[in-house]
Amino acid sequence: METENSTNFSYMGRDFSDLSIGDSSSAFSDCNSDRSGEFQTASSQTRRLLMACASDNSDDLIRQLVGFLESGSIEEQKQAAMEIRLLAKNKSENRLKIAKSGAIKPLISLLSSTDLQLQEYGVTAILNLSLCDENKELIASSGAIKPLVRALKTGTSTAKENAACALLRLSQIEENKIAIGRSGALPPLVNLLENGGIRGKKDASTALYSLCSVKENKIRAVQAGIMKSLVELMADFGSNMVDKSAYVLSVLVSIPEARTALVDEGGIPVLVEIVEVGSQRQKEISVAILLQLCENSAVHRNMVAREGAIPPLVALSQSGTNRAKQKAETLTELLRQPRSGNGAARA
């Protein structure tokens, strides 16, 4: 599997072996347990569940719930999935107990249900179980990836958000990234990024950032039209998505297809504006992207220079973070090279 996390680049005798943009973790939602509202339950069921959550003797309840998942009515399956979701939400030891009890396969079967509420409950329970590192491999090997992708395409808005988070969790095992991409996850994630609510956009961007460390997933994302959404979100400073979108773009721009799409969607003026007026972190991400865009292309260097990038780059080289200063200086030197139509280099 080919992953790409950094770029080697030498210019004017200076080695830039890492064009990375530092720790991106704070920019993304962590997709911890689900954010769904608590389900309404009868008082006796609530008391039973709370007692089980508070005690170390939840094994009997879990076995009973798994039985309902396997052979209960639709309503019993909904109630069982809801209770498993709550048991797994905040108590890590319950996640292991539930997985070991055999709940994962019957929960996965719920993901293909035509009852959208039942599907949603199943997705949410799988998400909460995936928070346990020991469960991720079992969930993937039990066949969860394709049903999660189906829920991402056809589910309720909550099911789509939680399916994106569950796929993110599974993608933290490197070999799952290709399987998730080949199961068709990239187009519906791009759709969620474009059309979802703010929670959906954040969850989609986080999953895409993880999955697109693999080259073939970068290509799939670009083919699915991700660049239009990323450029639009970066241009909207009120979206609370500038950082997240720029981080996703930063992992895509290493491939020529992404660089071409970025230019075609009008991304250069947006990136130059961010270098001029964005936050320090946004400026650092944007200059790193522009540097990758320009390093092998005179055409792109001319385009960036014509957008008036040199003055804000000079300012950034004097007042930015250490990483941003270094990249701004290098990009400024590139842009100041004699411009020529000859050797208009690779896009």
Side-chain angles (χ1 to χ4, degrees), residues 43-111:
S43 59
S44 61
Q45 293 169 322
T46 302
R47 284 197 299 271
R48 178 184 68 166
L49 185 57
L50 291 174
M51 289 177 64
C53 287
S55 74
D56 293 327
N57 298 314
S58 56
D59 301 61
D60 290 342
L61 172 60
I62 291 171
R63 282 193 291 269
Q64 181 182 4
L65 294 174
V66 172
F68 282 128
L69 287 178
E70 292 175 329
S71 57
S73 66
I74 293 290
E75 291 307 312
E76 287 171 333
Q77 288 180 319
K78 287 182 182 179
Q79 185 68 27
M82 178 272 292
E83 295 194 20
I84 285 175
R85 166 249 169 174
L86 290 177
L87 282 167
K89 183 171 183 178
N90 296 313
K91 201 167 183 182
S92 57
E93 55 266 37
N94 281 343
R95 296 171 191 148
L96 275 173
K97 286 182 181 180
I98 293 167
K100 291 178 179 177
S101 73
I104 288 176
K105 285 193 174 181
L107 282 172
I108 291 172
S109 71
L110 303 186
L111 307 189

Side-chain angles (χ1 to χ4, degrees), residues 119-137:
Q119 181 192 56
E120 178 185 315
Y121 292 0
V123 169
T124 307
I126 290 291
L127 165 61
N128 289 354
L129 291 175
S130 73
L131 301 180
C132 176
D133 287 341
E134 292 90 336
N135 288 343
K136 292 174 185 173
E137 186 174 348

Side-chain angles (χ1 to χ4, degrees), residues 10-65:
S10 295
Y11 174 68
M12 297 291 285
R14 297 159 66 183
D15 180 25
F16 295 87
S17 58
D18 182 8
L19 288 179
S20 65
I21 46 185
D23 180 14
S24 60
S25 58
S26 61
F28 289 105
S29 59
D30 195 29
C31 284
N32 285 322
S33 60
D34 65 272
R35 284 91 45 184
S36 309
E38 300 301 322
F39 298 105
Q40 294 182 350
T41 56
S43 59
S44 61
Q45 293 169 322
T46 302
R47 284 197 299 271
R48 178 184 68 166
L49 185 57
L50 291 174
M51 289 177 64
C53 287
S55 74
D56 293 327
N57 298 314
S58 56
D59 301 61
D60 290 342
L61 172 60
I62 291 171
R63 282 193 291 269
Q64 181 182 4
L65 294 174

Side-chain angles (χ1 to χ4, degrees), residues 42-345:
S43 59
S44 61
Q45 293 169 322
T46 302
R47 284 197 299 271
R48 178 184 68 166
L49 185 57
L50 291 174
M51 289 177 64
C53 287
S55 74
D56 293 327
N57 298 314
S58 56
D59 301 61
D60 290 342
L61 172 60
I62 291 171
R63 282 193 291 269
Q64 181 182 4
L65 294 174
V66 172
F68 282 128
L69 287 178
E70 292 175 329
S71 57
S73 66
I74 293 290
E75 291 307 312
E76 287 171 333
Q77 288 180 319
K78 287 182 182 179
Q79 185 68 27
M82 178 272 292
E83 295 194 20
I84 285 175
R85 166 249 169 174
L86 290 177
L87 282 167
K89 183 171 183 178
N90 296 313
K91 201 167 183 182
S92 57
E93 55 266 37
N94 281 343
R95 296 171 191 148
L96 275 173
K97 286 182 181 180
I98 293 167
K100 291 178 179 177
S101 73
I104 288 176
K105 285 193 174 181
L107 282 172
I108 291 172
S109 71
L110 303 186
L111 307 189
S112 300
S113 174
T114 56
D115 186 306
L116 293 182
Q117 189 179 53
L118 182 58
Q119 181 192 56
E120 178 185 315
Y121 292 0
V123 169
T124 307
I126 290 291
L127 165 61
N128 289 354
L129 291 175
S130 73
L131 301 180
C132 176
D133 287 341
E134 292 90 336
N135 288 343
K136 292 174 185 173
E137 186 174 348
L138 177 59
I139 292 171
S141 65
S142 297
I145 290 175
K146 288 185 178 180
L148 283 169
V149 172
R150 187 180 303 116
L152 188 60
K153 293 177 180 177
T154 65
T156 65
S157 59
T158 297
K160 290 177 180 179
E161 292 166 6
N162 289 343
C165 283
L167 289 168
L168 166 67
R169 290 291 171 181
L170 298 185
S171 76
Q172 290 167 350
I173 297 177
E174 279 296 312
E175 53 265 33
N176 287 341
K177 291 182 179 181
I178 286 180
I180 292 170
R182 292 178 180 177
S183 295
L186 276 298
L189 283 172
V190 170
N191 184 63
L192 184 60
L193 179 69
E194 181 176 1
N195 298 310
I198 186 60
R199 185 78 259 167
K201 291 180 187 296
K202 290 179 177 179
D203 293 339
S205 67
T206 310
L208 287 162
Y209 181 77
S210 175
L211 291 168
C212 287
S213 66
V214 177
K215 183 176 180 180
E216 66 179 66
N217 286 342
K218 299 178 200 280
I219 296 170
R220 291 189 180 99
V222 173
Q223 291 173 340
I226 192 174
M227 204 57 66
K228 179 177 183 291
S229 297
L230 292 178
V231 171
E232 289 177 352
L233 290 169
M234 288 191 301
D236 182 2
F237 284 89
S239 69
N240 293 318
M241 287 292 297
V242 176
D243 298 47
K244 296 172 181 63
S245 301
Y247 274 117
V248 176
L249 177 55
S250 74
V251 298
L252 293 172
V253 77
S254 62
I255 63 169
E257 296 90 339
R259 296 193 291 273
T260 299
L262 173 61
V263 173
D264 290 346
E265 293 294 342
I268 288 177
V270 172
L271 289 165
V272 171
E273 182 182 13
I274 294 172
V275 172
E276 187 170 5
V277 301
S279 68
Q280 286 297 319
R281 179 165 68 178
Q282 290 165 0
K283 291 179 180 182
E284 182 179 325
I285 307 167
S286 296
V287 73
I289 294 167
L290 287 169
L291 185 53
Q292 290 193 68
L293 186 66
C294 292
E295 62 189 14
N296 290 318
S297 175
V299 170
H300 291 162
R301 290 197 289 272
N302 289 341
M303 295 174 72
V304 171
R306 285 197 300 269
E307 287 298 328
I310 290 179
L313 285 170
V314 171
L316 185 60
S317 69
Q318 297 170 349
S319 63
T321 64
N322 288 335
R323 284 175 179 267
K325 286 179 180 179
Q326 186 182 54
K327 292 166 187 171
E329 289 171 0
T330 304
L331 182 54
T332 301
E333 292 171 3
L334 275 173
L335 298 181
R336 284 175 168 167
Q337 287 182 342
R339 301 180 198 175
S340 170
N342 298 325

